[in-house]
Amino acid sequence: MRPGPRNAITDIDGLRVGSAHDADLRSGATVLFADAPFTAAVHVMGGAPGTRETDLLAPDKTVQEVDALVLSGGSAFGLEAASGVADGLRAMGRGFAVGEVRVPIVPGAILFDLLNGGNKDWDANPYGALGRAALDAAGPDIACGSHGAGFGATVMDLRGGLGTASAVLASGVTVGALVAVNALGRVCDDLGRFHAAGHEMDAEFGGLGPAATDPEWEPFSDRAPGQSTTIAVVATDAALTQAQATRMAVAAHDGMARAIWPSHTPMDGDLVFAAATSARPLADPVWEPLQLGHAAAGCLARAIARGVHAADPGGDLPAWRTRFGG
């Protein structure tokens, strides 16, 4: 495998990503949408998720495609970001047709960033406007680090961030990942070497080599239960059913576990959406979905490291570059 030309989820033709944040609020939102509705699925492994419209992503539900996926800060308040995206899509004429009405289908997930020092004393929920602004900003280029849903994110001992990565398989199929990293656990060792280093391509997060193995994990953060969550999207241009996309989301969680130690705790709401534009038919319906899951896990691990590696200084915790001089 090799990275795509942008090393981003938007290396998949037709996908676009937009982000918006409010520096005073210290939070933001990120949206992924496509030129046409796309197959989507979800798998949740964290103990404290916050979601919108994820029930309809089950393979037995009537609607099999969505118009956009939204990642947002703000805990439960951040679910409103998806409403802002839905408003924008409605203005574009997008949505599931019900008679003469079109209803945009916009599942979303949130992370907790309400105690990061930003001004949360608002009179009106700001996340609808952030979601709409993220949609308006959507395009092929994605800035990693302190942007969008990752702007106010943290990991145990560092500032978190928004990350992306891609891989092109030998078959020509492309897989990508987009993630807002806001974890209870750690993503690197005491020397700044990333747990995801085994998946790194082209020194994309410093080329520092493998992290030390932690013999025993000891919390040293004052973060209380429910103040974390890493939320992600993995995507491909392969033609997948909703059931196959669900399996890709399940497999992608392996990448989260490889990059964040520990992952999927009762205090995190770790979640992975999967998206498939279905531009490329599967050459092998048995083995190719397995390869896609493996590639999705690797892309997600890399995207997590890239998001933290690129974070800007500022906030209560140091950025990776501040602490380790990168």
Side-chain angles (χ1 to χ4, degrees):
M1 291 185 287
R2 57 180 172 80
R6 296 186 183 90
N7 196 14
I9 198 171
T10 50
D11 286 325
I12 297 165
D13 287 343
L15 291 187
R16 286 173 275 173
V17 170
S19 288
H21 65 259
D22 182 324
D24 184 54
L25 182 68
R26 294 198 61 76
S27 188
T30 296
V31 59
L32 178 139
F33 86 115
D35 296 335
F38 54 91
T39 301
V42 68
H43 188 66
V44 181
M45 289 190 68
T51 60
R52 163 185 156 136
E53 291 199 316
T54 50
D55 282 354
L56 62 79
L57 300 181
D60 64 327
K61 297 303 185 286
T62 300
V63 176
Q64 296 287 296
E65 296 180 319
V66 307
D67 295 290
L69 295 169
V70 177
L71 309 178
S72 179
S75 188
F77 301 105
L79 294 173
E80 187 67 18
S83 295
V85 172
D87 289 345
L89 291 170
R90 182 176 181 273
M92 297 178 190
R94 293 282 298 269
F96 182 74
V98 184
E100 297 180 354
V101 178
R102 288 194 171 271
V103 181
I105 307 299
V106 187
I110 50 86
L111 56 82
F112 187 97
D113 59 4
L114 296 179
L115 300 179
N116 63 4
N119 179 13
K120 307 303 193 293
D121 187 23
W122 61 74
D123 293 323
N125 189 317
Y127 285 95
L130 284 170
R132 183 67 179 265
L135 179 65
D136 291 343
D141 297 322
I142 305 171
C144 289
S146 304
H147 301 275
F151 184 84
T154 58
V155 296
M156 174 172 284
D157 53 346
L158 295 169
R159 191 170 185 184
L162 188 74
T164 190
S166 69
V168 181
L169 283 62
S171 64
V173 168
T174 301
V175 175
L178 176 72
V179 62
V181 190
N182 188 64
L184 178 71
R186 302 182 74 191
V187 299
C188 61
D189 66 13
D190 291 338
L191 298 178
R193 299 172 300 192
F194 287 91
H195 294 308
H199 297 278
E200 188 173 15
M201 296 183 182
D202 300 334
E204 61 193 330
F205 40 88
L208 302 174
T213 300
D214 293 339
E216 182 175 357
W217 181 78
E218 291 288 346
F220 56 90
S221 169
D222 60 0
R223 186 176 302 187
Q227 296 181 21
S228 305
T229 291
T230 295
I231 48 179
V233 182
V234 294
T236 181
D237 53 5
L240 300 182
T241 66
Q242 208 166 39
Q244 289 169 324
T246 300
R247 294 309 308 175
M248 186 170 75
V250 171
H253 273 284
D254 290 351
M256 196 177 293
R258 295 168 195 168
I260 302 169
W261 294 12
S263 292
H264 310 136
T265 76
M267 292 80 166
D268 293 278
D270 296 343
L271 170 152
V272 178
F273 290 112
T277 63
S278 300
R280 290 176 172 268
L282 291 178
D284 185 327
V286 176
W287 290 107
E288 197 160 8
L290 186 154
Q291 293 173 322
L292 292 175
H294 173 63
C299 282
L300 183 51
R302 293 164 49 216
I304 289 167
R306 292 190 74 206
V308 175
H309 182 259
D312 293 330
D316 295 337
L317 291 173
W320 184 92
R321 71 178 74 172
T322 301
R323 182 172 175 186
F324 300 109

